[in-house]
Amino acid sequence: MTEKDASRNSGATELAEFLSQAYSCAMTMFENASYVEKEFVNVELPQNLRDEVAEVCAAWISNKRDIMTELDEFHDVPAHPDEGRIERRATRISTWLSEDFPQLNALVEKLRNLSEQDPKIVLAYMLVAGSAVNVLRSFAAVRTASDRYFVAVAT
């Protein structure tokens, strides 16, 4: 086995781990968005904040669909794929998984600040912040797998 073949095999292993973690993260996003939507009927919150929460949940659900479609397309990758094409797809998936984090962070911060002033908002804060932690924890595993993949294909 040549050094290039060993690198390709390592890259394939790392790619499989990245794809698995990306799938898991997309499902975590979907499950947490669904949970927040279901539980939010029991939470007292001004309509403008409800709209912001609904927007984040809708984005997570939409991104899950896009990511699943992209992951399904990896089944069409040939035995000796164009690494550049795969790297672009992996980067795209990571971007989709994280693109709503700034909006999510702003929402969590806003709810945290408001909950300190109004105890009725504490439940909304805990619900959204808890879901955010679940998604961020899952994304950290994606990021680790992504980094390992890119190191493997760079060698």
Side-chain angles (χ1 to χ4, degrees):
M1 178 182 290
T2 68
E3 189 175 318
K4 186 172 183 171
D5 288 337
S7 175
R8 181 176 288 137
N9 287 342
S10 175
T13 300
E14 302 301 339
L15 177 61
E17 178 62 18
F18 166 75
L19 296 175
S20 174
Q21 293 298 332
Y23 174 86
S24 178
C25 186
M27 291 306 297
T28 298
M29 290 170 73
F30 176 76
E31 291 162 0
N32 279 271
S34 297
Y35 178 74
V36 168
E37 288 179 336
K38 182 181 83 166
E39 293 299 321
F40 231 62
V41 297
N42 302 318
V43 174
E44 189 173 325
L45 199 63
Q47 189 59 47
N48 65 322
L49 291 174
R50 283 185 176 284
D51 293 344
E52 287 185 52
V53 171
E55 189 176 319
V56 168
C57 289
W60 282 356
I61 291 168
S62 176
N63 283 349
K64 179 254 183 189
R65 290 183 193 122
D66 293 340
I67 291 159
M68 292 304 179
T69 298
E70 192 72 19
L71 290 172
D72 284 343
E73 291 180 12
F74 271 93
H75 295 293
D76 300 331
V77 174
H80 298 287
D82 169 11
E83 290 294 339
R85 182 173 153 224
I86 291 176
E87 289 174 23
R88 287 187 300 276
R89 282 184 168 181
T91 299
R92 184 169 41 244
I93 289 169
S94 290
T95 299
W96 285 343
L97 286 168
S98 64
E99 72 184 355
D100 298 306
F101 289 172
Q103 180 185 8
L104 175 63
N105 183 58
L107 176 60
V108 169
E109 283 299 311
K110 186 183 296 185
L111 290 171
R112 183 184 62 80
N113 291 334
L114 291 171
S115 72
E116 291 172 356
Q117 301 164 13
D118 184 352
K120 292 183 279 184
I121 296 181
V122 170
L123 185 57
Y125 167 64
M126 292 176 65
L127 182 62
V128 174
S131 291
V133 167
N134 293 337
V135 171
L136 291 171
R137 188 174 291 139
S138 185
F139 181 74
V142 172
R143 194 54 176 233
T144 298
S146 173
D147 290 347
R148 288 182 182 150
Y149 167 70
F150 283 110
V151 166
V153 297
T155 57

